[in-house]
Amino acid sequence: MKLYDAAWAPSPRRVRIYLAEKGIEVDRVPVDLRCDEHLGEAFLRINPRGVVPALELDSGEVLCESSAICRYFEALQPAPSLFGESALDIARIESWTRRIEQEGYAAAVYVLRNQREAFRDRGVAGKWPAIPQIPELAERGGILWAAFTATLDAHLAGRTWIATDGYSFADISALVTIDFAKAARLTVPEGFVHLHRWHAAASARSSAAA
């Protein structure tokens, strides 16, 4: 199988960190987003949506969502578990992962896509239309980010990791989200000591450099 990857994009990084934590080796094919390689004919034959990551299985089938790719590997190699073993832990990890995606990651995307010049009125012929930037969505993203980081900081008081007693997919998702948000000039306020402590611990894991 082959994992189509991009060095600096957040979703491929989430898969790389997960694989590093699991000790799983997969052949990787780099895709240069800055040169729009993901929109070229060769890659669009792999993933018509033109996004990374994409996992091409030996059968030829392609999985395209980072969470789905990680779920696939979790089913193949359950240990060490990053999605939970007990019913309650599975639910906790899923709940926090969804919150991180919908409140934190979405906030960063709102700001990035509605402020950065690189995303201004950009479309792809035959794929999707140009989408105008909406300044109010960038403002909304900033408000969501403030609420998200405050909530996560309060939750981490007295806790090492986000969802359970162990490092999980929720922590991977939050680490990628917080690091990605820097591109939108969204940061964690200095006073959020619990979130900063957690971020330092998550960043210190060898998998964070994957």
Side-chain angles (χ1 to χ4, degrees), residues 8 10 105-120 133 137-138 141-142 180-186:
W8 53 269
Y105 187 79
V109 170
Y110 279 149
V111 174
L112 193 67
R113 291 192 176 276
N114 289 283
Q115 281 189 345
R116 290 282 292 272
E117 183 67 30
F119 295 101
R120 188 178 299 278
Q133 290 182 318
L137 282 179
F180 165 65
K182 296 173 185 175
R185 297 189 177 92
L186 295 173

Side-chain angles (χ1 to χ4, degrees), residues 1-58:
M1 66 180 72
K2 297 178 182 178
L3 178 65
Y4 291 84
D5 191 16
W8 53 269
S11 293
R13 186 187 178 209
R14 181 155 74 153
V15 175
R16 291 197 306 273
I17 293 175
Y18 170 85
L19 293 176
E21 287 285 340
K22 300 285 284 189
I24 297 173
E25 295 287 340
V26 180
D27 288 339
R28 297 210 299 261
V29 179
V31 178
D32 191 339
L33 303 184
R34 288 189 171 90
C35 294
D36 287 343
E37 186 179 358
H38 58 302
L39 301 178
E41 290 185 10
F43 184 72
L44 290 176
R45 284 195 293 270
I46 301 297
N47 181 10
R49 292 179 61 215
V51 297
V52 287
L55 179 68
E56 185 178 21
L57 306 178
D58 293 339

Side-chain angles (χ1 to χ4, degrees), residues 68-205:
I69 290 169
C70 294
R71 286 280 191 179
Y72 173 76
F73 283 112
E74 187 82 358
L76 292 178
Q77 182 178 309
S81 173
L82 289 172
F83 284 93
E85 296 180 358
S86 71
L88 185 55
D89 280 352
I90 291 171
R92 286 166 171 162
I93 292 167
E94 180 69 13
S95 176
W96 272 104
T97 298
R98 292 298 184 100
R99 289 188 66 176
I100 290 160
E101 291 172 343
Q102 294 172 4
E103 299 173 16
Y105 187 79
V109 170
Y110 279 149
V111 174
L112 193 67
R113 291 192 176 276
N114 289 283
Q115 281 189 345
R116 290 282 292 272
E117 183 67 30
F119 295 101
R120 188 178 299 278
D121 296 333
R122 185 178 184 187
V124 177
K127 294 297 174 184
W128 57 81
I131 302 175
Q133 290 182 318
I134 304 173
E136 290 80 5
L137 282 179
E139 182 180 356
R140 173 187 173 89
I143 294 169
L144 283 172
W145 181 257
F148 167 71
T149 52
T151 298
L152 194 52
D153 179 68
H155 172 72
L156 284 165
R159 300 182 59 89
T160 302
W161 303 115
I162 292 173
T164 67
D165 291 338
Y167 185 83
S168 75
F169 191 69
D171 296 288
I172 294 173
S173 300
L175 176 64
V176 169
T177 292
I178 288 173
D179 290 346
F180 165 65
K182 296 173 185 175
R185 297 189 177 92
L186 295 173
T187 59
V188 177
E190 291 184 7
F192 290 178
V193 295
H194 307 299
L195 186 47
H196 278 290
R197 169 187 49 76
W198 167 87
H199 184 264
S203 299
R205 298 175 74 90

